[in-house]
Amino acid sequence: MKTQKSTDPGGANANQQSANALPHPQSTASAVGGGGGGSSPGARNGGLFGTAKTWMDRWRGSRRLVLIIVAIALLLDNMLLTTVVPIIPEFLYDIRHPDAPLASLPKLPPPTTPVPPCGQTTTPWDGIQETTPGFDNASFYAELEERHKELVGETVEVGLMFASKAFVQLLANPFVGPLTHKIGYSIPMFAGFVIMFISTIIFAFGRSYSVLFLARALQGIGSSCSSVSGMGMLAERYTNDKERGNAMGIALGGLALGVLIGPPFGGVMYEFVGKSAPFIILAALALGDGVLQLLMLQPSIVLTESDPPSLKALVCDPYIIIAAGAITFANMGIAMLEPSLPIWMMDNMGASKWEQGVTFLPASISYLIGTNVFGPLGHKIGRWRAALLGLMIIGLCLLCVPMATSINHLILPNAGLGFAIGMVDSCMMPELGYLVDIRHSAVYGSVYALGDVAFCVGFAVGPALSGTLVNTIGFEWMLVGMAVICFAYAPLLTFLRAPPTREEKKVGIDNPGVVSDSGTTGGSDGIVVVASAPPGAAIENALLITGDRSSVRYVTYQNDDDDE
């Protein structure tokens, strides 16, 4: 149960809102009686305002509206996250080489003059002897080698910049999660919009590495507020496990759409308009999302009466850690590719800005498909099974990426990579909410803070290690090592097949006083768990789980002896 605090004494605001939501007596009479001699413009405007306010009041309690707002917030956050991917590497190179930007360097060696047959020499029309064949080639390859060294060295700086957002988000999550228990989800959600707007403006006008680094790190705080609050809102409003999976699949679809649009949007706008243009457009869209939150969510303090699980209890829960670990390793591979793949393409394929931007397009499209397909499908086939299969596919696709020799060869492995990550994310996010329901208490801020921490670890460690690993063992072996980690972690997801419930933890799964009609614990089969008690004692909070995993009811039984 929640109680909402109001800054008005005696709840005047709430009473006023209720009064405004009701039709005005005079306007009702005028509508019924035909208005007599007509209505004034002021009355007509009041009627339109009242209709609009009634419509907004009705939508404020809608779960679908909350889902739309969360999906838009994740969309814009991840558009900003990925728009910089094709922009930052070349922009940093250009500001350090203003006289020789990357675009001015030739991608192919200059043509050489063919040697005349039989040792003859040819004289051009101006009478000047031609230069020695191969001289220009030597200069070109020396310049190419110098560019290669600078780009590889830049991978470390780009990786650290990309990782800074995830590191800051990682540090902010343990504070944002408990904060939502104290003040609710709407205020942190709105704070996330404000911080993201400021970060976007800094990106638009920043002209140095340090300023851009600051903008990226600041985005991490805003992302923490938006992600934790958004997922907590959805888990709170969609209590049915199947509906929750569908809703989170749609919200993650917004995330996927942001990842989908970001790189090509950034690459094309940077090449044809300029660096500031994509960020100014994102800032305008973020402003619209902030207005929607103000009108519909009306950020205010909301108190929760039930005791939330502590972060320590969640971190010590092995089943929650296994689910969170799957999110980490599923996203770490693509996080390693973000700073290193564009530079590897520039170095090995001579890729242009737009090619670097669209290389992640197949991954984004397939991620969007994967999240929407496995939101509902994961509940049917078992979320642990879908996530296990997803990790195996991720490993295979990572092995295929270094084999590409052109941008066309990257389409299939990137598409498989995005689809598999969508499988893992859309299954493990609702699984975290389900695990809290059955093993702790139904307060979701901390568990989704932990889930966001898992996501951030992947996107912090991945880019940070990417530059160092590329310099030491090479791009190819870095991806091979990540694939091996995915293969090794996948079998651990079998432990999520039937996690024990809170009551089973107390009495013990093998306790003879526990009666089960299915022979299994915590799965999707029907289970009735009743703790044994001595005669005359009350049996409280017996857990009844029916055929649907989400149908959890607490029933209190009272023996006749107590009535006497």
Side-chain angles (χ1 to χ4, degrees), residues 504-517:
E504 290 168 347
K505 288 197 300 180
K506 291 179 181 178
V507 301
I509 296 178
D510 296 327
N511 193 311
V514 177
V515 181
S516 172
D517 67 352

Side-chain angles (χ1 to χ4, degrees), residues 166-529:
F167 273 120
V168 173
Q169 190 171 347
L170 185 66
L171 296 175
N173 282 331
F175 299 97
V176 175
L179 181 65
T180 60
H181 301 156
K182 297 178 181 178
I183 65 174
Y185 300 111
S186 58
I187 291 180
M189 188 80 175
F190 186 74
F193 143 73
V194 174
I195 296 171
M196 194 191 78
F197 180 79
I198 296 172
S199 172
T200 308
I201 295 298
I202 297 175
F203 265 120
F205 301 103
R207 302 291 301 177
S208 67
Y209 179 82
S210 57
V211 172
L212 296 175
F213 190 96
L214 174 64
R216 183 76 170 186
L218 187 62
Q219 186 193 354
I221 302 176
S223 296
S224 176
C225 295
S226 298
S227 300
V228 174
S229 302
M231 288 299 174
M233 278 183 179
L234 295 181
E236 181 184 59
R237 284 164 172 79
Y238 289 88
T239 55
N240 181 275
D241 187 59
K242 183 178 180 181
E243 290 182 348
R244 181 184 294 167
N246 295 345
M248 290 190 174
I250 294 172
L252 290 173
L255 182 152
L257 194 59
V259 175
L260 167 67
I261 298 172
F265 172 73
V268 172
M269 293 291 289
Y270 179 42
E271 182 160 7
F272 297 106
V273 183
K275 168 186 163 288
S276 299
F279 300 109
I280 292 175
I281 294 174
L282 279 178
L285 294 174
L287 196 59
D289 179 59
V291 172
L292 183 63
Q293 290 189 37
L294 274 178
L295 292 176
M296 295 301 184
L297 291 185
Q298 291 185 321
S300 58
I301 296 177
V302 180
L303 303 179
T304 305
E305 291 185 357
S306 57
D307 294 330
S310 66
L311 276 175
K312 181 180 179 181
L314 298 177
V315 170
C316 294
D317 190 324
Y319 298 93
I320 289 179
I321 293 301
I322 289 174
I327 297 173
T328 297
F329 293 118
N331 288 278
M332 191 177 291
I334 194 74
M336 284 182 166
L337 288 176
E338 276 192 357
S340 58
L341 184 59
I343 295 176
W344 183 78
M345 291 173 62
M346 284 191 290
D347 192 22
N348 291 271
M349 303 177 187
S352 61
K353 299 184 190 76
W354 73 268
E355 288 176 328
Q356 297 166 43
V358 301
T359 187
F360 292 100
L361 198 60
S364 303
I365 294 174
S366 56
Y367 183 89
L368 179 62
I369 297 171
T371 53
N372 282 277
V373 168
F374 280 89
L377 186 60
H379 182 269
K380 293 181 180 179
I381 68 173
R383 294 193 178 116
W384 67 272
R385 186 179 287 111
L388 187 152
L389 180 61
L391 282 176
M392 301 296 287
I393 296 174
I394 289 171
L396 290 174
C397 293
L398 289 174
L399 293 177
C400 295
V401 169
M403 301 178 186
T405 56
S406 71
I407 189 172
N408 294 331
H409 298 161
L410 290 171
I411 295 176
L412 190 59
N414 276 351
L417 196 61
F419 188 82
I421 296 172
M423 292 172 64
V424 177
D425 286 355
S426 62
C427 290
M428 290 297 101
M429 281 297 185
E431 185 72 13
L432 288 173
Y434 171 70
L435 289 171
V436 166
D437 282 339
I438 66 170
R439 295 176 60 79
H440 301 277
S441 60
V443 182
Y444 305 99
S446 290
V447 75
Y448 283 111
L450 190 60
D452 205 43
V453 164
F455 186 83
C456 293
V457 167
F459 275 90
V461 175
L465 287 181
S466 178
T468 304
L469 293 175
V470 168
N471 277 322
T472 53
I473 64 176
F475 180 78
E476 294 81 2
W477 283 106
M478 175 187 74
L479 297 183
V480 169
M482 192 64 239
V484 171
I485 292 175
C486 290
F487 291 144
Y489 192 87
L492 293 178
L493 291 170
T494 56
F495 288 101
L496 297 180
R497 182 177 183 178
T501 64
R502 177 168 52 250
E503 275 65 28
E504 290 168 347
K505 288 197 300 180
K506 291 179 181 178
V507 301
I509 296 178
D510 296 327
N511 193 311
V514 177
V515 181
S516 172
D517 67 352
S518 66
T520 60
T521 56
S524 58
D525 299 330
I527 304 170
V528 178
V529 181

